[in-house]
Amino acid sequence: MKRNIVIATVAAAALIGGGTVAAYAVGGDESAPTRQQSNVRVADDRDDSAEDGAEDKADDTADDRDDDVTEIRSEAATDKVTAAKVTAADAIAAALKHTPGTAVAADLDDDGSNVWEVNVVKGDGTDYDVRVSADNGKVLGAQRDADDDNDGREDLAALKGASVDAREAARAAAAKGAVTDVDLDDDGPAAWSVETAKGEWKVDLKTGKATQDQDDRDGQDDRDGADD
């Protein structure tokens, strides 16, 4: 009778308490009890939960870092444009007046010099870097690029039949934001690639239509999604 009472008491405690329980089996000769331990805690679930939390935290950190980089880039572009009094289109016009040819790129230096660097290719494919003051539009000098590696000829070939030049591309993209960089993108269908303080744009060589660069648009969508 005593043994049955002990077993019934232990079973009830196991059902009510859960977790780790200890059961005692008492022999007929009332010798020392034998302890059997059962651990019903699921450690794997706890480990998986901790791992998922660490991954989520790492993803959030990476997203925050990407947003910070984008914000810094945007602020830097805005500072460059604010310091420039001469637009990209005007800098290109000044460079071509000094060094006749075909403008294939224009970039506003970010080294504090406040100068536009306009890349001009002559009919024979020779490549020149023309520096134009972003303060007053004065040409500061022109230098032939000895390391063009036929880039000039390739640029002229890509622009064959084009109706929109670099100056017109800069003007088209200026409606989207102040222009800081104009470049000929011949990776795939040739187009003008124009960077503004508000994003990057592709300008069609024939129509002059400006559309937001796909990579820039995807990045903007990702940022907007993160903000939701």
Side-chain angles (χ1 to χ4, degrees):
M1 178 66 70
K2 183 182 297 183
R3 181 177 57 193
N4 292 338
I5 293 174
V6 171
I7 293 174
T9 302
V10 171
L15 291 173
I16 296 173
T20 302
V21 298
Y24 295 91
V26 181
D29 58 356
E30 298 184 357
S31 59
T34 300
R35 182 176 182 180
Q36 296 177 343
Q37 188 175 42
S38 173
N39 190 343
V40 296
R41 295 179 181 174
V42 184
D44 289 343
D45 290 343
R46 184 168 62 250
D47 293 341
D48 290 343
S49 178
E51 183 177 350
D52 291 342
E55 291 178 355
D56 291 342
K57 184 175 181 180
D59 290 341
D60 291 342
T61 300
D63 290 341
D64 291 342
R65 183 165 57 249
D66 290 342
D67 290 343
D68 290 342
V69 170
T70 300
E71 184 176 354
I72 291 172
R73 184 179 68 178
S74 178
E75 290 177 353
T78 301
D79 290 342
K80 287 170 65 176
V81 173
T82 300
K85 298 178 182 178
V86 176
T87 66
D90 290 341
I92 292 170
L96 291 176
K97 185 176 181 180
H98 181 275
T99 307
T102 301
V104 296
D107 175 61
L108 183 59
D109 279 351
D110 55 4
D111 59 3
S113 61
N114 207 28
V115 169
W116 285 100
E117 285 195 1
V118 183
N119 186 207
V120 177
V121 179
K122 289 184 172 291
D124 61 358
T126 54
D127 204 331
Y128 287 82
D129 290 326
V130 184
R131 293 173 59 82
V132 180
S133 170
D135 291 323
N136 54 30
K138 182 179 179 180
V139 174
L140 304 176
Q143 183 176 359
R144 180 177 175 177
D145 185 358
D147 300 324
D148 55 13
D149 296 328
N150 293 322
D151 288 346
R153 292 186 179 88
E154 292 175 0
D155 288 338
L156 292 180
L159 287 172
K160 187 176 182 179
S163 304
V164 178
D165 61 19
R167 185 181 183 187
E168 292 167 332
R171 286 177 172 172
K176 311 296 184 180
V179 175
T180 59
D181 183 270
V182 180
D183 196 12
L184 179 60
D185 183 4
D186 56 3
D187 185 12
W192 292 109
S193 177
V194 185
E195 184 174 339
T196 74
K198 296 183 179 180
E200 297 179 13
W201 305 82
K202 295 289 187 183
V203 179
D204 190 276
L205 293 180
K206 293 186 178 296
T207 66
K209 181 180 179 180
T211 57
Q212 190 170 15
D213 184 89
Q214 183 63 45
D215 292 338
D216 188 61
R217 180 164 60 246
D218 291 343
Q220 183 64 51
D221 291 341
D222 291 342
R223 293 191 295 274
D224 291 343
D227 292 340
D228 292 341

